[in-house]
């Protein structure tokens, strides 16, 4: 039995944190939201040098052939730093969807960091993210997988997420349903990991803030109401993460409980990130309610991701379905 | 779990499962009644006979020298088999680690074997009427009696679980009134039928006399029953507090089993309420999270890490999970939710377990105290003027 990350995974996480910590991600995220994708795309290149887009692309197609746990490690870091862009779509979903189809060639470019893929997969994920910044846009529906173009822009609660309704152009190709299911599960799991990362970041910011902000002659972090609220966030995140890691192990083993555990992870990560964001906002007071404070990036991201790659209600239903199917 | 257990671990699981399937008595009457206490002691004898009572202990004391992983595997199987909570828990989980760590060879010989098979059931006597969360405020005293070579205890303990049907107690007494609060405390072992001791049972919320007050009126305890050094009781006791919270390491099976029963109940009732449906799922997700969290901790401990303040994170989680899970079950029962005993669903097991769950946020250090610990020791927030401790 082994649950901990491997030494390589730990140093991968450290490398990502080192890179992103030095990269002024909040500025890149704000620019991305305002339509200037240049800093965000530079970030994409740097992350590509660490192998992020190549993670689950098979070795034969120029990738690393990594595990779902590698993906989880990467997305927790992306979430912790609030990195913008269609990462879930490119890293977690595209390899399963495209491998074995006529679009397979895209994967080599993706692994190198030259291609960026976005996918709309209605009904669960009806909108394509960041079509303008992507090199390839797809629609995955009952007809299969087709190249697609934007028909309409929509506004997300998270200003750094540009959403689009899309329509197919060109004919759909059939994709293996197991591969689709696996890709969607990995996408939901990556999203869950991002949420844990965002939650961790909000907790860290809050802890730093309450230690320094003084009212009534003391640091507000000395007040028990504040302490207890943050302790509850610690608990929620500490119990969401093992679900995310556990689901990654089950996906890796292709076990029959993998789908159930991915859904459980998405629910718990969403709830934990939600608690983290509500608490972070509360302890920051009005400064937390401003767009200029970096906290806003994480609060709004967490809210947006709650509905992406399956809502908590859809995922709860899936857990229940798995648990009761055999009763 | 398919997290890759070794063949030996899987074999251990299979052996435990087979033995429990063959021997488990299922749910027993409450251990806080005379009849129940007897039944529980019989069950402990059976467990010890199969060498399943203390699997992680050395073979010399009736254990199997099992690894931490095997121990948690056993605990999962134990609860999944529907076996009852252990009447020997205070002894084998709270006191024994202290006796192993701080006890004399004589104390190890004298006390360990008798607690393994339930021959001697122990009560923890820490709390006092004026010392609950602020445990260092205890006043019960121990005075030196050089002539008889021991100590004389006076004072009062309270909320001592199992004391009405237990044989012996362990607790802290102030042996040096001049010393600073956390110093000058000494850890004593004593028989509950010693001269000068009065045990007064107190009925709990569920109606049974689950705990008791213990009065000490010139009770003599020989030097041989001082555990750890004189004046060193706080340090010794705090290592037990860690164990009490760490006990939850063994509980994932308990919550998974309860979540499983909850799913059955939901299924039987065909309940359509989306809120209740979500609550049922969340109970299961919580139990699964707890299981995975525990395996993560076990993995870390095996790698040489320690539990530290994580026990507090753990305690906050399971105690809330336990209450939520049982409230959901009662909601599912509709108007039958108030019934206990005969005529109630599962003879009222849901209500009984619900009442038990309500104590979780209070005992083993209240959840407010745990939140203080998490905030200060894990998050590093500044210490205010609230003190922390907790029995
Ligand atoms: C079922 C059960 C079994 C028990 N078994 C045993 C046993 O076997 N042996 C034993 O010795 N004891 C036992 N106890 C006692 C238990 O350890 C104490 O109840 C517990 O430590 C709390 O102490 P108290 O009840 O005196 O509450 P108090 O300490 O008076 O607390 C009352 C309330 O004030 C809050 N509070 C206190 N201090 C603070 C603070 N600094 N910050 C914020 N809030 C605070 C508490 O959290 C609580 O909500 C048991 C209790 C229960 C319910």
């Amino acid at each position: 039995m082994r649950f901990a990350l491997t030494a390589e995974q730990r140093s991968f996480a450290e490398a990502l944190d080192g890179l992103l910590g030095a990269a002024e991600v909040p500025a890149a995220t704000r620019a991305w939201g305002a339509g200037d994708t240049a800093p965000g795309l530079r970030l994409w290149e740097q992350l590509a040098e660490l192998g992020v887009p190549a993670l689950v692309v098979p070795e034969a197609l120029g990738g690393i052939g990594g595990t779902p746990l590698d993906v989880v490690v990467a997305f927790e870091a992306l979430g912790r730093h609030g990195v913008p862009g269609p990462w879930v779509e490119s890293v977690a979903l595209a390899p399963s969807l495209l491998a074995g189809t006529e679009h397979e060639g895209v994967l080599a470019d993706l692994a190198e960091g030259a291609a960026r893929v976005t996918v709309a997969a209605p009904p669960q994920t009806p909108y394509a993210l960041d079509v303008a910044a992507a090199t390839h846009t797809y629609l995955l529906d009952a007809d299969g997988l087709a190249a697609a173009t934007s028909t309409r822009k929509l506004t997300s609660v998270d200003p750094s997420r540009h959403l689009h309704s899309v329509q197919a152009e060109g004919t759909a190709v059939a994709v293996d349903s197991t591969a689709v299911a696996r890709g969607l599960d990995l996408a939901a799991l990556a999203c869950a990991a991002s949420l844990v990362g965002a939650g961790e970041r909000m907790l860290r910011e809050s802890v730093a803030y309450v230690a320094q902000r003084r009212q009534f002659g003391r640091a507000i972090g000395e007040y028990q109401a504040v302490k207890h609220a943050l302790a509850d966030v610690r608990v929620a995140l500490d119990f969401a993460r093992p679900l995310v890691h556990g689901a990654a192990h089950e996906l890796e083993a292709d076990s029959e409980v993998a789908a159930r555990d991915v859904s459980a992870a998405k629910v718990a990560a969403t709830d934990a990130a939600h608690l983290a964001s509500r608490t972070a906002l509360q302890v920051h007071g009005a400064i937390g309610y401003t767009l200029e404070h970096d906290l806003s990036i994480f609060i709004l991201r967490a809210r947006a991701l709650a509905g992406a790659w399956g809502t908590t209600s859809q995922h709860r239903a899936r857990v229940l379905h798995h648990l009761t199917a055999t009763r | 779990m398919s997290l890759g257990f070794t063949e030996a671990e899987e074999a251990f699981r299979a052996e435990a499962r087979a033995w429990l399937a063959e021997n488990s008595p299922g749910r027993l009457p409450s251990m806080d009644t005379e009849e129940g206490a007897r039944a529980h002691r019989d069950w402990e004898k059976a467990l010890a006979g199969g060498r399943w009572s203390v699997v992680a202990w050395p073979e010399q004391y009736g254990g199997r020298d099992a690894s931490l992983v095997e121990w948690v595997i056993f605990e999962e199987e134990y609860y999944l088999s529907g076996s009852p909570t252990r009447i020997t828990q205070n002894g084998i989980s709270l006191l024994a680690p202290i006796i192993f760590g701080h006890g004399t060879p004589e104390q190890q010989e004298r006390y360990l074997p008798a607690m393994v098979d339930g021959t001697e059931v122990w009560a923890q006597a820490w709390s006092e009427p004026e010392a609950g969360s602020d445990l260092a405020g205890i006043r019960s005293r121990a005075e030196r009696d050089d002539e008889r070579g021991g100590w004389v205890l006076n004072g009062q303990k309270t909320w001592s679980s199992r004391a009405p049907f237990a044989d012996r107690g362990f607790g802290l007494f102030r042996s040096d009134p001049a010393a600073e609060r956390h110093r000058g405390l000494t850890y004593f072992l004593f028989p509950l039928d010693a001269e000068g001791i009065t045990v007064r049972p107190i009925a709990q919320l569920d109606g049974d006399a689950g705990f008791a007050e213990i009065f000490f009126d010139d009770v003599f305890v020989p030097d041989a029953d001082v555990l750890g050094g004189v004046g060193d009781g706080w340090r010794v006791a705090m290592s037990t507090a860690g164990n009490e919270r760490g006990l939850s390491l063994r509980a994932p099976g308990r919550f998974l089993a309860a979540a499983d029963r909850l799913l059955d109940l939901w299924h039987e009732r065909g309940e359509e309420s989306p809120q209740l449906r979500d609550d049922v799922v969340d109970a299961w997700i919580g139990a699964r999270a707890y299981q995975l969290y525990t395996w993560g901790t076990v993995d870390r401990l095996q790698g040489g890490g320690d539990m530290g303040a994580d026990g507090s994170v753990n305690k906050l989680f399971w105690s809330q999970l336990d209450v939520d899970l049982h409230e959901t079950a009662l909601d599912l029962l509709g108007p039958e939710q108030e019934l206990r005993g005969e005529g109630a669903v599962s003879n009222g097991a849901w209500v009984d377990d619900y009442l038990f769950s309500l104590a979780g946020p209070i005992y083993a250090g209240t959840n407010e105290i745990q939140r203080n610990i998490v905030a200060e020791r894990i998050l590093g927030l500044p210490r205010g003027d609230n003190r922390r401790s907790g029995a």
Side-chain angles (χ1 to χ4, degrees):
Chain A
M1 198 274 309
R2 231 199 117 68
F3 206 76
L5 298 178
T6 62
E8 296 82 66
Q9 283 163 339
R10 282 200 307 274
S11 58
F12 181 45
E14 276 164 30
L16 288 169
D17 263 334
L19 177 114
L20 294 169
E24 298 184 26
V25 180
T29 302
R30 288 202 166 82
W32 188 275
D36 170 11
T37 53
L41 293 182
R42 255 196 312 279
L43 215 50
W44 194 290
E45 279 166 28
Q46 289 175 294
L47 287 163
E49 276 163 29
L50 287 184
V52 176
L55 273 181
V56 291
V57 174
E59 281 172 278
L61 301 175
I64 294 173
T67 66
L69 197 55
D70 297 327
V71 172
V72 159
V73 169
F75 276 86
E76 190 174 328
L78 296 180
R80 189 157 51 241
H81 294 275
V83 175
W87 287 98
V88 171
E89 294 76 357
S90 297
V91 181
L93 181 56
S96 295
L97 282 191
L98 305 183
T101 74
E102 66 187 41
H103 302 287
E104 186 173 88
V106 175
L107 291 180
D109 290 343
L110 181 88
E112 271 184 13
R116 292 172 299 278
V117 174
T118 190
V119 183
Q124 215 192 30
T125 299
Y127 318 116
L129 178 68
D130 295 323
V131 168
T135 56
H136 298 76
T137 300
Y138 294 101
L139 173 64
L140 172 71
D141 62 13
D143 296 336
L145 183 73
T149 49
S150 168
T151 53
R152 187 175 164 209
K153 282 191 193 170
L154 297 142
T155 309
S156 167
V157 64
D158 174 357
S160 68
R161 284 168 61 87
H162 301 285
L163 300 180
H164 299 258
S165 296
V166 299
Q167 71 181 23
E169 53 157 30
T171 42
V173 297
V175 271
D176 174 56
S177 64
T178 323
V180 171
R182 190 178 164 83
L184 289 173
D185 275 341
L186 198 55
L189 186 65
C191 185
S194 288
L195 282 160
V196 169
E200 286 291 347
R201 175 61 170 269
M202 291 187 273
L203 178 59
R204 198 177 77 197
E205 298 293 330
S206 303
V207 166
Y209 183 74
V210 304
Q212 153 257 300
R213 171 73 173 169
R214 298 177 71 82
Q215 290 293 298
F216 303 100
R218 337 179 179 172
I220 58 172
E222 281 182 38
Y223 295 110
Q224 233 177 22
V226 170
K227 276 185 185 164
H228 286 194
L230 293 175
D232 284 341
V233 176
R234 180 68 276 151
V235 173
L237 289 166
D238 274 356
F239 281 86
R241 184 180 289 105
L243 282 168
V244 173
H245 286 198
H249 278 285
E250 301 294 354
L251 262 187
E252 165 70 7
D254 216 359
S255 107
E256 58 195 28
V257 301
R260 177 198 75 183
D261 280 11
V262 165
S263 284
K266 177 69 167 45
V267 170
T270 304
D271 286 352
H274 179 248
L275 184 68
S277 71
R278 288 297 317 276
T279 307
L281 176 54
Q282 194 64 24
V283 303
H284 276 78
I287 185 73
Y289 198 71
T290 64
L291 217 44
E292 76 188 33
H293 196 288
D294 286 351
L295 193 57
S296 65
I297 293 172
F298 301 94
I299 293 175
L300 297 174
R301 178 71 53 83
R303 189 59 248 173
L305 293 185
W309 307 105
T311 63
T312 48
S313 156
Q314 286 164 338
H315 282 295
R316 280 195 176 92
R318 200 163 74 136
V319 171
L320 191 65
H321 173 77
H322 274 266
L323 291 175
T324 53
T326 54
R327 257 159 230 264
Chain B
M1 255 348 244
S2 50
L3 283 172
F5 293 100
T6 65
E7 253 172 57
E9 284 160 357
E10 292 294 2
F12 180 86
R13 186 188 289 280
E15 193 188 345
R17 181 174 295 179
W19 190 88
L20 287 162
E22 181 97 344
N23 294 282
S24 172
R27 217 179 157 87
L28 291 178
S30 162
M31 68 171 86
D32 297 329
T33 59
E34 228 175 289
E35 176 211 3
R38 253 199 315 276
H40 273 84
R41 284 185 195 245
D42 289 345
W43 165 232
E44 293 294 334
K45 279 233 150 36
L47 268 174
R51 280 198 310 122
W52 293 106
S53 173
V54 286
V55 295
W57 289 20
E59 293 189 7
Q60 175 194 358
Y61 293 110
R64 293 173 177 248
D65 267 322
S67 70
L68 191 54
V69 173
E70 287 171 333
W71 176 60
V72 178
I73 287 175
F74 173 74
E75 294 296 339
E76 279 188 2
E77 292 300 324
Y78 184 86
Y79 283 109
L80 291 172
S81 72
S83 299
T85 342
R86 308 277 303 270
I87 195 171
T88 47
Q89 172 166 308
N90 283 339
I92 62 180
S93 303
L94 304 185
L95 178 60
I98 305 296
I99 293 188
F100 276 120
H102 303 260
T104 63
E106 292 73 30
Q107 286 171 333
Q108 293 174 354
E109 273 315 309
R110 163 70 186 84
Y111 293 122
L112 294 173
M115 69 174 72
V116 168
D117 65 358
T119 302
E120 284 183 347
V121 169
W122 288 82
Q124 170 178 276
W126 286 12
S127 304
E128 295 183 6
E130 303 300 326
S133 299
D134 185 11
L135 186 64
I138 60 170
R139 296 179 189 168
S140 293
R141 16 179 242 291
E143 273 138 343
R144 187 69 204 149
D145 184 337
D146 277 329
E147 222 158 275
R148 284 192 281 174
W151 297 79
V152 175
L153 308 183
N154 276 289
Q156 181 190 352
K157 296 287 177 178
T158 189
W159 318 132
S160 184
S161 294
R162 265 150 336 266
F165 303 104
D167 307 289
R168 303 188 65 92
F170 55 94
L172 285 176
F173 291 76
R174 194 163 290 288
S175 51
D176 180 358
E180 183 257 334
R181 270 163 42 94
H182 294 80
R183 306 254 156 75
L185 297 174
T186 300
Y187 205 119
F188 289 98
L189 309 176
F190 45 85
L192 285 171
D193 60 0
E195 204 179 311
I197 286 189
T198 311
V199 176
R200 191 182 76 82
I202 305 172
Q204 297 185 331
L205 217 50
D206 65 5
D208 294 333
F211 41 39
E213 287 177 294
I214 309 175
F215 297 92
F216 298 81
D217 187 9
D218 286 336
V219 177
F220 177 75
V221 179
D223 284 333
D225 282 332
V226 169
L227 185 54
V230 170
D232 207 19
W234 182 259
R235 200 174 58 84
V236 173
M238 283 307 106
S239 49
T240 346
N243 287 324
E244 188 164 14
R245 285 162 212 148
L247 251 187
S248 28
L249 264 192
R250 40 181 294 209
R254 187 180 135 213
F255 299 118
L256 279 171
D260 207 50
R261 289 197 300 275
L262 183 65
L263 277 152
D264 281 336
L265 185 65
W266 180 82
H267 203 62
E268 279 159 33
R269 298 264 142 173
E271 178 56 59
E272 291 299 321
S273 147
Q275 177 64 54
L276 273 175
R277 188 204 68 171
D278 283 357
D279 290 347
V280 168
V281 177
D282 284 347
W284 182 85
I285 291 177
R288 174 71 170 162
Y290 193 48
Q291 181 188 36
L292 292 167
Y293 175 94
T294 302
W295 285 117
T297 308
V298 167
D299 198 13
R300 209 181 64 231
L301 294 177
Q302 296 241 97
D306 65 25
M307 183 95 165
D310 290 358
S312 295
V313 172
N314 193 325
K315 199 248 167 176
L316 283 165
F317 186 82
W318 67 253
S319 57
Q320 190 59 46
L321 169 64
D322 205 18
V323 174
D324 290 349
L325 191 156
H326 287 95
E327 283 182 345
T328 302
L330 294 191
D331 281 350
L332 278 171
L333 290 175
E336 291 162 75
Q337 65 185 275
E338 68 172 286
L339 299 183
R340 297 188 69 186
E342 249 175 84
V345 173
S346 315
N347 277 325
W350 285 112
V351 184
D352 292 347
D353 291 354
Y354 165 72
L355 290 175
F356 179 65
S357 77
L358 290 182
I362 299 173
Y363 65 75
T366 69
N367 283 12
E368 287 71 30
I369 297 297
Q370 306 306 334
R371 287 191 179 91
N372 289 344
I373 294 173
V374 171
E376 290 165 11
R377 286 197 233 163
I378 297 183
L379 297 179
L381 293 179
R383 270 190 73 172
D385 50 9
N386 54 293
R387 298 211 159 78
R388 35 156 217 253
S389 74

